[in-house]
Amino acid sequence: MVVWHRRLPNGYGWIFPCGDGLYNIGVGVEHRHARRDDAAADAPDGMGDVNLRAMLEDFGRIHPLAGTLLRDGAWESPLKGAPLRCSLSGARYARPGLLVAGEALGSTYALTGEGIGKALETGVLAADRLIEARRAGWDEATLVARHAEAIAALQPRHDVYERACIVNRRPWLADLVVWSARRSPRRIRRLSGILDETDLPSELVSWRSWLRLLVRRD
């Protein structure tokens, strides 16, 4: 479950059941630092002017299940925050002697913060290239180039999720999406597909698509 709300500006809250009465609960924000000064580095939540603990408390106030878990539950591990590189940006895909994969590569989706599956996907691509290199007798330069090509092929999908982050920056747009989805079972399925990755958030990336949300019922 991912929750967008006006009280969670630039981000969202999540609750994922883990079985046996355990839940993964937290909040995330889309946050970019032009520079990281000493004050930001020393901030309790590691996000400078963004107070993630206060945001988590607000999540508990606006969502009944989140409130119950935060009020009556017991933490299985310490509450922590950490920055994530997203959208396959900020890192080289490979260099001689090294193939990069996972969160070091920025494989997390910016819109939803989904990263485990994306990290595994890029790890599998790296392993496939290594196996292929051994079978085909590639030199190191060819291996590095082929891995970079395989990762770059994922970029268009990440770009769509990056552009859809407009929902995080403008919570009233999330309200519009929910309102529109209630008018169309098809849209409910598509929104669910964004989270389980059976559909792309293409309806959230242009003003023309937003207009369709307003006027179409199918």
Side-chain angles (χ1 to χ4, degrees):
M1 174 192 303
V2 178
V3 177
W4 283 270
H5 194 277
R6 292 174 183 271
R7 293 281 295 276
L8 308 175
N10 295 323
Y12 49 84
W14 73 76
I15 303 172
F16 299 137
C18 301
D20 297 326
L22 293 177
Y23 292 85
N24 183 317
I25 181 172
V27 293
V29 293
E30 182 194 9
H31 194 80
R32 292 178 172 85
H33 289 302
R35 64 183 179 86
R36 185 176 176 84
D37 55 24
D38 292 340
D42 293 336
D45 294 297
M47 294 298 294
D49 58 328
V50 178
N51 191 319
L52 293 177
R53 292 181 184 274
M55 188 174 173
L56 183 63
E57 291 172 0
D58 282 339
F59 184 31
R61 294 186 184 101
I62 65 173
H63 195 279
L65 178 55
T68 298
L69 292 172
L70 294 174
R71 182 180 62 253
D72 301 332
W75 292 104
E76 287 288 310
S77 59
L79 183 62
K80 295 181 180 180
L84 289 174
R85 185 185 293 122
C86 298
S87 303
L88 296 177
S89 63
R92 294 169 59 188
Y93 299 161
R95 63 172 174 76
L98 178 68
L99 302 183
V100 184
E103 291 183 358
L105 186 65
S107 58
T108 299
Y109 279 152
L111 174 64
T112 61
E114 201 291 304
I116 296 175
K118 302 302 99 191
L120 291 170
E121 180 180 26
T122 57
V124 168
L125 287 178
D128 286 345
R129 296 294 79 72
L130 289 169
I131 293 170
E132 193 173 1
R134 174 179 282 272
R135 290 174 176 171
W138 293 343
D139 59 20
E140 187 175 56
T142 300
L143 169 60
V144 167
R146 294 295 177 85
H147 177 67
E149 290 171 1
I151 298 299
L154 303 176
Q155 190 66 62
R157 188 179 185 94
H158 281 264
D159 288 346
V160 174
Y161 277 84
E162 175 74 27
R163 293 197 299 273
C165 280
I166 189 174
V167 172
N168 294 335
R169 296 188 291 271
R170 295 175 174 83
W172 62 270
L173 288 176
D175 293 340
L176 172 60
V177 173
V178 172
W179 172 82
S180 176
R182 288 173 175 167
R183 304 167 70 216
S184 168
R186 182 186 67 86
R187 288 196 184 125
I188 292 177
R189 291 192 298 270
R190 292 200 65 180
L191 290 175
S192 298
I194 293 172
L195 298 181
D196 62 25
E197 299 182 47
T198 59
D199 212 333
L200 289 173
S202 54
E203 287 189 342
L204 310 179
V205 299
S206 71
W207 289 112
R208 179 176 295 178
S209 60
W210 287 106
L211 180 62
R212 286 199 299 268
L213 290 178
L214 281 172
V215 301
R216 293 181 59 177
R217 287 182 172 271
D218 59 338

